[in-house]
């Protein structure tokens, strides 16, 4: 006989906790990397940026804004064919990573972008005056100046992602009944 909490066996609770940690851990790791890369691209290609490129910035800015504005539950259902293409299935924790990463990457990108924009222009100018390349400016000046803020951004993203994993668990049951 197994123990029950709120009418749910402890084995099921442990399984759900394991799946949540799996989705949250991989989601924030991959989504955080993509988000930081998106933020760097947005900062570098914006007007006055080190690699100013109006087309890249405009396209990326619009995509980030659109994806961020879609409620997660709608995004989850809308990209089921893409999820099947990437994960081979639309049900389960592994499949849930696809919409979770797509959801959290632009969110983190905006948070990190705002952090990067707070770095004083004088720091970048000083780095350029010392002959630093763009990569060196990113590696040795921009990212170290914003480490604390990036950690806060990832913490905020983790909390948002936790809420999304709960929706994923609920919608996974619905999606498996509807889309199979």
């Amino acid at each position: 006989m197994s123990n029950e909490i709120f009418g749910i066996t402890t084995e099921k609770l442990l399984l759900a906790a394991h799946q949540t940690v799996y989705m949250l851990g991989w989601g924030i790791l991959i989504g955080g990397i993509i988000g930081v890369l998106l933020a760097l691209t947005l900062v570098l290609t914006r007007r006055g940026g080190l690699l100013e490129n109006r087309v890249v910035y405009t396209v990326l800015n619009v995509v980030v804004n659109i994806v961020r504005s879609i409620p997660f539950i709608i995004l989850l259902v809308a990209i089921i064919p893409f999820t099947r293409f990437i994960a081979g299935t639309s049900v389960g924790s592994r499949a849930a990573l696809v919409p979770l990463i797509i959801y959290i990457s632009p969110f983190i990108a905006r948070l990190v972008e705002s952090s990067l924009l707070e770095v004083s222009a004088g720091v970048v100018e000083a780095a350029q005056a010392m002959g630093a390349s763009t990569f060196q400016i990113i590696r040795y000046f921009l990212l170290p100046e914003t480490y604390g803020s990036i950690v806060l951004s990832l913490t905020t993203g983790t909390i948002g992602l936790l809420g999304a994993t709960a929706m994923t668990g609920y919608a996974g049951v619905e999606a498996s009944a509807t889309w199979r």
Side-chain angles (χ1 to χ4, degrees):
M1 183 171 151
S2 63
N3 295 331
E4 289 190 4
I5 301 172
F6 302 115
I8 302 170
T9 63
T10 53
E11 291 83 21
K12 284 186 178 179
L13 283 174
L14 290 174
L15 176 64
H18 171 75
Q19 291 173 337
T20 299
V21 169
Y22 172 82
M23 290 185 290
L24 192 61
W26 284 109
I28 200 67
L29 177 69
I30 298 170
I33 291 170
I34 294 171
V36 169
L37 293 175
L38 286 173
L40 283 170
T41 305
L42 283 167
V43 169
L44 293 175
T45 58
R46 71 182 313 125
R47 186 184 317 177
L50 293 172
L51 304 171
E52 185 175 334
N53 187 323
R54 188 181 180 108
V55 173
V56 171
Y57 176 78
T58 302
V59 169
L60 197 56
N61 193 39
V62 168
V63 169
V64 166
N65 283 338
I66 288 173
V67 174
R68 280 189 58 224
S69 66
I70 299 172
F72 178 70
I73 197 76
I74 294 171
L75 177 73
L76 176 72
V77 174
I79 65 166
I80 283 177
F82 181 70
T83 301
R84 278 194 190 133
F85 175 74
I86 298 293
T89 180
S90 61
V91 180
S93 301
R94 188 171 49 105
L97 283 176
V98 175
L100 288 171
I101 290 168
I102 291 173
Y103 167 74
I104 201 64
S105 296
F107 182 76
I108 290 174
R110 281 292 180 220
L111 293 174
V112 174
E113 178 191 18
S114 66
S115 299
L116 290 169
L117 289 175
E118 290 180 9
V119 174
S120 170
V123 171
V124 175
E125 289 173 8
Q128 287 176 317
M130 289 186 281
S133 67
T134 302
F135 177 77
Q136 290 171 327
I137 292 172
I138 293 168
R139 169 71 178 87
Y140 298 111
F141 296 95
L142 286 179
L143 290 179
E145 287 283 325
T146 57
Y147 275 152
S149 187
I150 288 174
V151 170
L152 286 175
S153 299
L154 291 176
T155 303
T156 303
T158 302
I159 293 167
L161 194 61
L162 182 61
T165 59
M167 282 188 269
T168 302
Y170 179 74
V173 174
E174 295 296 318
S176 66
T178 307
W179 291 84
R180 276 193 163 183

